Amino acid sequence: LLSNVYLHTYQITLDPFYREILEDTLDYVVREMVAPAGGFYSSQDADSEGKEGKYYVWKQDDIERHINQQYKPIIKSYFGVTDTGNFDGDNILNRPLDDTTVAQIHGITTDILKAIIIDCKANLMKARGYRSSPPTDTKILTSWNGLMIDSLASASAVLHRKDYLDTAISGANFILNNMKQTQRLMHTDKQGKSKVIGYLEDYACLGQGILAIYESTFDPKWIREADSLGKSIIQLFWDETTSVFYDTGYDHESLLIRPRDITDNATPSGSSTATEFLLRLGLFTGNIRYSKLAEESLQTMQWLMLRVPHGAGQWLGALDFYLSRPKEIVVVGPAQNNLTQVLLDTIRTSYLPNRILAGVDTDTQPPTDDIPILRDKAMVKGSPTAYVCEQYICKDPTSDPVYLASLLHDYTPKTQLNHY
């Protein structure tokens, strides 16, 4: 969730500061939290060797031993390092000053500063590798993995980081291939043993992650996987009588009250995530039932969004998606063609939360019936082409990135709610 916030902030501002934090965060996940067979571990302890934060904090002289001596004043300014420290006599490395200020203080350019920091961080990382690392909870949770897959796949498309995409795909494949029993998705896995039949949040979060993989690869098999999850969500968790999702499936063990947590807290609720997932999936597949049930789900939560908006963040995001006439964007062209990539970058670097993106690599992909918005979409005059549509009605196709950008930010609100 945090990495997605920095991804979106980078898209909005194009400030490299946010990209740096995003990449540092995702690099940590790839380095520390990925299981050998795929999937993401749950957490790491704060303590190591019986002391809180010992693995991560530094004494000033310890830092000085591991960096080029001429860089000591720069590193101390950059990371706020002092002899007394800021945490029980140790230093938690932080960024009290911006890059421009640090560079001015030491009479260097920001480019030189960045090169120095990269070198010193590598040395400190190597030195830290000799410490006793904090214990890792190797439990793999489907719902949390879905959130991580979403973030990695989305970031890979914006940042051109294939390693992020490969890690996201590996995580999705692990869950789909190893955490299903008799076609039922499981909630948790540890040391190769999966247990507890999946909850609504497991199906919904994984579905969102799989859609992000599709939008980064345009491989239609991921739409088929997402569609399967969508159908399972309706079959297992939707109640026709009350028009709501429940957290447990109809096949779950019998409880006094069937649980339903609807508030968005530290993580989004299963119901709100499922609602947004079905809205997006409905646009990809053309399945009106997905969109209709999502609309009904939003209507039942009107009271929550009005009375407790701070506990309905994901709900409000889903409502905004529903009300905004989300854009259905298609790019058709050879993946290796430079113009194809320019068109895709124009879309992906823009903060457009209310859109879906589909595409066809004309060099390798045959036409598919899995994604209706791809039908009748072809290159114009042999050139890579982008289509921007709303409710399957498209503006003029274009190969001009500048004109495409104007279409992306042309906002047309819905004129009525009951358009289905």
Side-chain angles (χ1 to χ4, degrees), residues 25 44 46 164 181 236 240 285 327-328 334:
T25 303
Q44 283 186 326
Y164 292 165
Q181 293 181 9
L236 294 168
E240 291 284 357
T285 63
K327 288 180 166 49
E328 305 135 12

mmCIF file of all heavy atoms in Angstrom, residues 25 44 46 164 181 236 240 285 327-328 334:
data_model
loop_
_atom_site.group_PDB
_atom_site.id
_atom_site.type_symbol
_atom_site.label_atom_id
_atom_site.label_comp_id
_atom_site.label_asym_id
_atom_site.label_seq_id
_atom_site.Cartn_x
_atom_site.Cartn_y
_atom_site.Cartn_z
ATOM 1 N N THR A 25 11.954 1.024 -1.628
ATOM 2 C CA THR A 25 10.970 0.180 -0.931
ATOM 3 C C THR A 25 10.772 -1.145 -1.659
ATOM 4 O O THR A 25 10.814 -2.223 -1.050
ATOM 5 C CB THR A 25 9.630 0.920 -0.811
ATOM 6 O OG1 THR A 25 9.832 2.159 -0.125
ATOM 7 C CG2 THR A 25 8.611 0.086 -0.047
ATOM 8 N N GLN A 44 8.872 -8.783 8.939
ATOM 9 C CA GLN A 44 10.138 -8.970 9.640
ATOM 10 C C GLN A 44 10.031 -8.330 11.014
ATOM 11 O O GLN A 44 9.370 -7.296 11.179
ATOM 12 C CB GLN A 44 11.307 -8.339 8.877
ATOM 13 C CG GLN A 44 11.774 -9.164 7.692
ATOM 14 C CD GLN A 44 13.025 -8.584 7.041
ATOM 15 O OE1 GLN A 44 13.197 -7.376 7.014
ATOM 16 N NE2 GLN A 44 13.866 -9.433 6.510
ATOM 17 N N ALA A 46 11.144 -6.242 14.366
ATOM 18 C CA ALA A 46 11.934 -5.032 14.617
ATOM 19 C C ALA A 46 13.192 -5.359 15.396
ATOM 20 O O ALA A 46 14.194 -4.651 15.317
ATOM 21 C CB ALA A 46 11.090 -4.016 15.386
ATOM 22 N N TYR A 164 10.770 -6.130 -11.427
ATOM 23 C CA TYR A 164 9.554 -6.013 -10.619
ATOM 24 C C TYR A 164 8.428 -6.841 -11.232
ATOM 25 O O TYR A 164 7.689 -7.534 -10.522
ATOM 26 C CB TYR A 164 9.108 -4.553 -10.524
ATOM 27 C CG TYR A 164 10.010 -3.645 -9.730
ATOM 28 C CD1 TYR A 164 9.884 -2.264 -9.816
ATOM 29 C CD2 TYR A 164 10.996 -4.151 -8.881
ATOM 30 C CE1 TYR A 164 10.695 -1.411 -9.090
ATOM 31 C CE2 TYR A 164 11.826 -3.314 -8.160
ATOM 32 C CZ TYR A 164 11.673 -1.935 -8.266
ATOM 33 O OH TYR A 164 12.478 -1.089 -7.554
ATOM 34 N N GLN A 181 -6.861 -25.669 -3.509
ATOM 35 C CA GLN A 181 -7.227 -27.043 -3.178
ATOM 36 C C GLN A 181 -8.653 -27.271 -3.661
ATOM 37 O O GLN A 181 -9.577 -26.572 -3.244
ATOM 38 C CB GLN A 181 -7.125 -27.277 -1.665
ATOM 39 C CG GLN A 181 -5.692 -27.202 -1.138
ATOM 40 C CD GLN A 181 -5.598 -27.469 0.351
ATOM 41 O OE1 GLN A 181 -6.572 -27.870 0.976
ATOM 42 N NE2 GLN A 181 -4.417 -27.249 0.913
ATOM 43 N N LEU A 236 -19.240 -17.390 -4.290
ATOM 44 C CA LEU A 236 -18.918 -17.733 -2.907
ATOM 45 C C LEU A 236 -19.362 -16.682 -1.892
ATOM 46 O O LEU A 236 -19.735 -17.027 -0.759
ATOM 47 C CB LEU A 236 -17.405 -17.940 -2.759
ATOM 48 C CG LEU A 236 -16.789 -19.124 -3.499
ATOM 49 C CD1 LEU A 236 -15.271 -19.024 -3.491
ATOM 50 C CD2 LEU A 236 -17.232 -20.436 -2.859
ATOM 51 N N GLU A 240 -27.589 -12.463 -2.689
ATOM 52 C CA GLU A 240 -28.578 -11.842 -3.562
ATOM 53 C C GLU A 240 -29.660 -11.111 -2.772
ATOM 54 O O GLU A 240 -30.190 -10.086 -3.215
ATOM 55 C CB GLU A 240 -29.230 -12.910 -4.454
ATOM 56 C CG GLU A 240 -28.311 -13.510 -5.490
ATOM 57 C CD GLU A 240 -28.086 -12.572 -6.673
ATOM 58 O OE1 GLU A 240 -28.711 -11.485 -6.693
ATOM 59 O OE2 GLU A 240 -27.290 -12.913 -7.564
ATOM 60 N N THR A 285 -14.039 -7.371 -19.537
ATOM 61 C CA THR A 285 -14.718 -8.551 -20.070
ATOM 62 C C THR A 285 -16.035 -8.247 -20.768
ATOM 63 O O THR A 285 -16.547 -9.085 -21.502
ATOM 64 C CB THR A 285 -15.000 -9.556 -18.938
ATOM 65 O OG1 THR A 285 -15.894 -8.941 -17.985
ATOM 66 C CG2 THR A 285 -13.708 -9.962 -18.234
ATOM 67 N N LYS A 327 -11.922 5.670 -18.406
ATOM 68 C CA LYS A 327 -11.449 5.565 -19.786
ATOM 69 C C LYS A 327 -10.978 4.143 -20.077
ATOM 70 O O LYS A 327 -10.275 3.537 -19.277
ATOM 71 C CB LYS A 327 -10.327 6.575 -20.024
ATOM 72 C CG LYS A 327 -10.851 8.013 -20.071
ATOM 73 C CD LYS A 327 -9.740 9.012 -20.299
ATOM 74 C CE LYS A 327 -10.312 10.374 -20.695
ATOM 75 N NZ LYS A 327 -11.394 10.855 -19.830
ATOM 76 N N GLU A 328 -11.391 3.652 -21.226
ATOM 77 C CA GLU A 328 -10.958 2.346 -21.725
ATOM 78 C C GLU A 328 -9.930 2.629 -22.819
ATOM 79 O O GLU A 328 -10.280 3.110 -23.897
ATOM 80 C CB GLU A 328 -12.154 1.581 -22.272
ATOM 81 C CG GLU A 328 -13.301 1.438 -21.276
ATOM 82 C CD GLU A 328 -14.664 1.716 -21.888
ATOM 83 O OE1 GLU A 328 -14.769 1.794 -23.134
ATOM 84 O OE2 GLU A 328 -15.631 1.880 -21.117
ATOM 85 N N PRO A 334 3.441 -3.126 -32.647
ATOM 86 C CA PRO A 334 4.528 -4.021 -32.263
ATOM 87 C C PRO A 334 5.170 -3.548 -30.954
ATOM 88 O O PRO A 334 5.489 -2.365 -30.806
ATOM 89 C CB PRO A 334 5.520 -3.919 -33.430
ATOM 90 C CG PRO A 334 4.754 -3.288 -34.554
ATOM 91 C CD PRO A 334 3.721 -2.425 -33.925
#
